[in-house]
Amino acid sequence: MDEEIIRLQGKFLKCHFASDSYAVYLFTDGEEKITVCGPLVDIDPQFEYCLYGNYYMHPRYGFQFQVDHFEKLLPSEREEAVRFLSGGFFKGIGEKTAVKIVNVLGDRALDILKEEPEAIEDLPLTAKQKMALVEGIAGFNDPFEEERMKLLTAGFGRKEINLLFAHFEQDYFAVTEEDPYQMFYDVYGIGFTKVDRYALNSGVEVTDLRRKTALLVHLFEDRSFQSGNTYLYYNEFVDRYNRESGFKDGDFVLDNALRARLLVEEGDRYYRYNDWLDECLIAERLKEYAGHEPGSFASLEEEITALEDENGIVYSDQQYEAISAFFENDFSIITGGPGTGKTTLVKALVDLSRKRNPYDLINVAAPTGRAAKRINELCDVESKTIHSLLGWDKETNRFNFNDQNPLMLDILIIDEFSMVDNQLFASLLRASGAVKKICVIGDKDQLPSIRPGDVLNDLLSSGCFVSTALSANFRQRKDNEIIALAGDMLKGEVDFSSYNKDVLFLETETPEDILLKKIDELQEQGVELDEIQVLSPMYKGGSGIDSLNHLLQERYNPGERDRREIKNGPHTLRVNDMILELKNQPMDDVYNGDIGVLKEIDYATKSVMVLFDRNFVSYPFDDLSPLTLAYALSVHKSQGSEYPYVFLIISRYHQRMLEKKLLYTAVTRAKSRLYILGSRQVFTDALKRERPKRNTGLLDRLTNNTPDF
């Protein structure tokens, strides 16, 4: 038998904790106070509320009331009705006018106004006052407000709800009534689990075909994201659906998904419809660039020589080749590892382009904010993240620049291209109809993009585009052991006894102890904490990122009586903590992967202030989800950034995660010195493991082995 739902009626007194979708309050029913917790978002303390849920005993915090859902109540007593009407909610209605309204309508004045708004016309008020009542009461009858409560109950956060309303606008109710799972299909970042809970709460049956179809697509997406494959085979997702759902009707549900164009069938390959569109579009647009005849520039050699004299530099043969390819072709590729001169080359391409045509509009884009800032500082060129360049709107999760509103650029250079996925590159190409020349630059040996696709390697493998591979010369390898180690790792020939200056491998079963000791030594030598970055392959378990962050925070920024702090999920954030941004927020000029310092926690304004480089960004207490500790990072989060000192933790707990590209990416984050702490055997074994090739159709489309878009 289901547990009986208990109803509490009263007011909120104090907020103990609030996030985007969960809060803990002190609540009173007029007789006693109790701690209540649940999806309590957008609470207004001047209202009374009805809370529905059950009491339970928390093992740490004691007796509490777990809220399942809640509703806002209007005041019913005469004094409260007068107080509410004159409390500022109705603009222009003061206490005398409020008394006049209650005298006419009685103690139930607000209920009457809500249920019978036509009663406003009979009140002895001015036209302006009547309009204030009409506008105020409209807020109580707002269907979006009621829908917000339903979504909150299903576990949606406030930002997710705003994103849904902004995406569908006035069509929201028509769309969700026809198929609530459209929220999952159409809005990136809205997951199946919450939409499914909402749909079931709204009366959708477990066996409803709409639900089964969404479940199949969800399992497809999950497998695609985990593998990085843009297409899957039948057994990868239909068999899983039959096994996990228990319905055994996968073929019927798959046919429905294909008819609805949620999935696309291409031979024995299956795609998410949008991923298929993106892949086709990339191939179509790039063929247009590749179809142009290469140009020739008789004066180019003289111009390069003049630039060398001007900058006091001599370009390598490979750099010279890359410069020539850039100017002779509309689309070109440059690859190379650390220390091969990619940044020097970007500056050369920009400088020569400006000399050739001062009126050309040039932009260098990168997937991460740190990479974009580095290019901006070193190359004196406008450089943005790809999201910022495309005018990403976080409210609607759409790009402002597209086919209908193209970028006004002549030359586009994309750095750190190995991190760019199919969807992002397709969005960039959609907006690049006016761009005359594109050059992509990346390290093919680094980790591929987090989202599906293997764009850089597909472009290189196609042979359709001119590409130049840069390599470190002998002197670079000799002068920098990190560069030498990276090269040796690619060959699979690593002898750590040959490194004694820039690279130090410390064999240990307990890396945490040595980590603290070595960081202490560096600080004694004058190295600042923000010059040091700890990397680990996993979040949980021994030597994981979560435990390392806690360890490092307690050592270098411990809790003290006069140091302000605030709880944020499993972490406690303190003033002076190293902070990692987890989302793109172009309006604040801060992006996923940026690292800053928490400078202030203001209890009065209920906000924290983080300094990123020279940019202060404020976050309200109820929206700290984009922030976490940054003393230790995952290798993926570090990609696109460089740090003077890197500590890489290699533990036996990490063995299943480790392979060559991940280790190579981690090692090449270090600029001056690299410490590897852990098992040498685990490291050596990991170099023998290659990441499986991702299944994508882009290579076939570029080489005409798959039907065009």
Side-chain angles (χ1 to χ4, degrees):
M1 184 175 177
D2 292 339
E3 191 174 17
E4 183 182 355
I5 296 294
I6 297 173
R7 175 181 180 274
L8 293 183
Q9 181 174 332
K11 285 192 170 184
F12 291 95
L13 300 177
K14 181 180 179 182
C15 178
H16 293 305
F17 169 80
S19 68
D20 192 38
S21 59
Y22 184 86
V24 180
Y25 277 88
L26 183 64
F27 186 83
T28 180
D29 62 1
E31 295 182 1
E32 60 179 350
K33 300 174 183 178
I34 185 171
T35 300
V36 299
C37 52
L40 302 166
V41 180
D42 292 333
I43 295 299
D44 188 335
Q46 68 176 314
F47 284 93
E48 275 203 353
Y49 286 80
C50 270
L51 310 183
Y52 299 90
N54 279 282
Y55 293 102
Y56 79 109
M57 181 62 71
H58 191 283
R60 181 175 178 184
Y61 299 111
F63 197 56
Q64 296 186 353
F65 186 81
Q66 178 66 46
V67 179
D68 179 70
H69 61 283
F70 66 96
E71 61 183 359
K72 187 189 298 182
L73 299 177
L74 293 177
S76 58
E77 298 292 333
R78 179 182 178 84
E79 288 184 8
E80 289 192 6
V82 170
R83 191 182 307 118
F84 181 72
L85 283 167
S86 60
F89 193 82
F90 301 91
K91 191 175 181 180
I93 304 294
E95 186 173 349
K96 288 184 179 179
T97 305
V99 170
K100 190 186 301 183
I101 295 170
V102 174
N103 284 341
V104 173
L105 299 179
D107 294 352
R108 292 186 61 255
L110 288 172
D111 286 326
I112 292 172
L113 290 172
K114 179 181 178 182
E115 296 164 8
E116 305 171 32
E118 63 273 10
I120 295 174
E121 286 302 317
D122 298 328
L123 293 173
L125 304 176
T126 66
K128 190 174 182 180
Q129 289 170 331
K130 289 180 179 180
M131 182 55 65
L133 282 178
V134 169
E135 292 175 351
I137 293 301
F140 296 122
N141 294 322
D142 184 358
F144 281 100
E145 196 61 34
E146 293 182 17
E147 183 69 5
R148 186 183 297 273
M149 293 299 113
K150 287 178 62 179
L151 290 165
L152 284 168
T153 301
F156 287 87
R158 183 172 55 196
K159 285 192 173 181
E160 292 174 314
I161 295 170
N162 291 340
L163 181 62
L164 286 170
F165 291 167
H167 181 89
F168 293 111
E169 297 179 331
Q170 295 305 314
D171 295 330
Y172 172 85
F173 291 101
V175 169
T176 55
E177 184 175 352
E178 181 177 347
D179 186 355
Y181 294 97
Q182 208 66 42
M183 296 188 285
F184 161 59
Y185 300 139
D186 288 2
V187 186
Y188 176 69
I190 300 298
F192 168 81
T193 302
K194 292 178 182 178
V195 175
D196 190 43
R197 189 184 301 126
Y198 167 88
L200 294 173
N201 290 345
S202 301
V204 173
E205 297 292 334
V206 172
T207 56
D208 192 304
L209 180 58
R210 295 174 299 175
R211 180 178 184 272
K212 290 181 176 181
T213 304
L215 175 59
L216 180 75
V217 174
H218 162 63
L219 294 175
F220 185 102
E221 275 194 353
D222 182 63
R223 175 58 186 161
S224 176
F225 187 85
Q226 293 299 325
S227 64
N229 299 331
T230 60
Y231 68 80
L232 301 180
Y233 294 108
Y234 176 93
N235 64 312
E236 292 184 85
F237 66 104
V238 178
D239 287 352
R240 182 181 172 190
Y241 165 85
N242 287 331
R243 185 174 63 253
E244 295 187 12
S245 72
F247 295 126
K248 311 300 182 186
D249 56 354
D251 288 338
F252 176 72
V253 177
L254 174 59
D255 286 342
N256 189 60
L258 293 172
R259 284 194 300 272
R261 302 293 276 175
L262 298 168
L263 299 179
V264 173
E265 183 180 16
E266 202 173 66
D268 60 351
R269 302 173 177 181
Y270 294 88
Y271 290 83
R272 266 301 305 263
Y273 179 69
N274 288 339
D275 290 338
W276 177 78
L277 280 181
D278 289 340
E279 202 173 81
C280 292
L281 180 135
I282 292 171
E284 180 192 31
R285 294 292 172 90
L286 290 187
K287 283 180 180 179
E288 294 174 5
Y289 281 100
H292 296 169
E293 287 294 321
S296 61
F297 300 90
S299 63
L300 186 58
E301 184 174 349
E302 296 175 6
E303 294 175 47
I304 296 175
T305 300
L307 189 63
E308 287 179 320
D309 293 340
E310 182 180 320
N311 293 330
I313 191 174
V314 177
Y315 299 117
S316 68
D317 292 343
Q318 294 167 339
Q319 288 174 319
Y320 193 105
E321 179 186 338
I323 295 171
S324 301
F326 172 81
F327 285 103
E328 292 170 1
N329 297 273
D330 292 336
F331 187 90
S332 59
I333 306 170
I334 300 169
T335 65
T340 56
K342 295 194 296 295
T343 304
T344 301
L345 192 53
V346 170
K347 181 169 172 51
L349 299 179
V350 171
D351 289 348
L352 278 174
S353 296
R354 285 171 172 165
K355 290 178 182 296
R356 284 177 159 271
N357 190 342
Y359 299 105
D360 272 353
L361 297 175
I362 307 169
N363 198 293
V364 181
T368 69
R370 291 173 74 89
K373 288 173 184 175
R374 187 176 72 249
I375 288 292
N376 185 278
E377 292 165 358
L378 297 177
C379 301
D380 186 29
V381 62
E382 184 177 14
S383 182
K384 296 180 177 180
T385 65
I386 297 174
H387 279 77
S388 180
L389 178 68
L390 292 176
W392 179 65
D393 183 346
K394 65 179 180 180
E395 297 301 323
T396 61
N397 199 32
R398 294 170 177 163
F399 293 122
N400 292 325
F401 290 98
N402 47 45
D403 276 319
Q404 287 73 44
N405 183 32
L407 295 165
M408 291 295 103
L409 292 174
D410 297 291
I411 297 173
L412 176 60
I413 300 171
I414 310 166
D415 195 21
E416 297 286 355
F417 192 71
S418 65
M419 300 174 65
V420 177
D421 58 69
N422 263 33
Q423 186 270 333
L424 188 57
F425 191 42
S427 297
L428 196 56
L429 290 177
R430 283 188 183 93
S432 298
V435 178
K436 303 172 188 173
K437 190 181 292 292
I438 295 178
C439 177
V440 301
I441 303 173
D443 186 344
K444 63 182 179 58
D445 297 307
Q446 279 192 38
L447 287 168
S449 59
I450 293 177
R451 296 191 75 242
D454 195 9
V455 185
L456 178 57
N457 282 302
D458 284 343
L459 299 187
L460 291 169
S461 299
S462 73
C464 297
F465 313 100
V466 61
S467 64
T468 308
L470 307 178
S471 59
N473 60 40
F474 175 77
R475 177 163 180 79
Q476 287 170 316
R477 288 176 55 87
K478 183 179 178 181
D479 289 347
N480 190 314
E481 291 181 352
I482 298 169
I483 294 175
L485 173 60
D488 291 343
M489 288 172 64
L490 295 177
K491 298 176 187 175
E493 303 170 356
V494 176
D495 177 10
F496 282 105
S497 65
S498 63
Y499 309 120
N500 51 40
K501 180 169 62 76
D502 304 324
V503 176
L504 183 64
F505 199 119
L506 298 171
E507 184 84 27
T508 176
E509 286 291 320
T510 55
E512 290 86 351
D513 295 339
I514 296 180
L515 173 66
L516 296 177
K517 179 182 177 183
K518 288 297 177 183
I519 293 179
D520 287 345
E521 289 176 0
L522 287 175
Q523 289 196 309
E524 290 171 4
Q525 297 166 17
V527 176
E528 298 293 335
L529 196 61
D530 61 4
E531 299 178 88
I532 300 168
Q533 188 58 63
V534 179
L535 302 180
S536 177
M538 295 177 66
Y539 280 90
K540 305 298 181 184
S543 301
I545 295 161
D546 290 341
S547 63
L548 288 170
N549 265 320
H550 179 72
L551 175 76
L552 294 164
Q553 182 192 45
E554 290 305 310
R555 179 62 162 253
Y556 301 108
N557 194 34
E560 296 177 355
R561 195 171 180 182
D562 60 345
R563 181 171 292 156
R564 292 189 169 191
E565 61 182 43
I566 184 171
K567 191 75 174 171
N568 183 33
H571 302 292
T572 296
L573 306 182
R574 298 185 184 123
V575 171
N576 296 330
D577 268 337
M578 300 294 295
I579 295 294
L580 174 69
E581 169 67 48
L582 297 172
K583 296 181 180 179
N584 290 321
Q585 298 190 166
M587 295 292 287
D588 296 315
D589 193 26
V590 60
Y591 300 91
N592 186 356
D594 282 358
I595 293 177
V597 179
L598 200 161
K599 288 294 186 181
E600 183 180 345
I601 298 176
D602 192 329
Y603 298 134
T605 61
K606 294 186 178 180
S607 65
V608 306
M609 188 75 71
V610 182
L611 175 61
F612 294 96
D613 196 11
R614 293 179 292 274
N615 178 30
F616 282 97
V617 181
S618 178
Y619 299 81
F621 281 1
D622 62 355
D623 189 20
L624 298 179
S625 59
L627 304 181
T628 190
L629 296 174
Y631 299 100
L633 300 179
S634 70
V635 178
H636 277 96
K637 283 295 184 186
S638 72
Q639 199 171 358
S641 301
E642 291 180 329
Y643 314 93
Y645 300 86
V646 167
F647 285 84
L648 174 59
I649 310 298
I650 301 296
S651 167
R652 56 187 173 82
Y653 299 109
H654 304 153
Q655 289 184 75
R656 65 184 180 85
M657 291 283 294
L658 298 176
E659 43 82 24
K660 183 190 287 188
K661 280 198 171 185
L662 186 137
L663 290 182
Y664 173 85
T665 303
V667 163
T668 54
R669 298 311 91 208
K671 290 174 62 178
S672 301
R673 194 176 303 170
L674 170 69
Y675 297 86
I676 306 175
L677 312 183
S679 168
R680 192 169 302 188
Q681 187 62 52
V682 170
F683 187 97
T684 304
D685 289 345
L687 291 181
K688 301 172 186 175
R689 287 194 288 273
E690 297 281 356
R691 182 174 288 256
K693 176 72 175 73
R694 291 182 169 185
N695 290 334
T696 75
L698 180 57
L699 175 59
D700 288 339
R701 297 183 201 285
L702 291 169
T703 53
N704 295 315
N705 292 327
T706 302
D708 285 335
F709 174 43

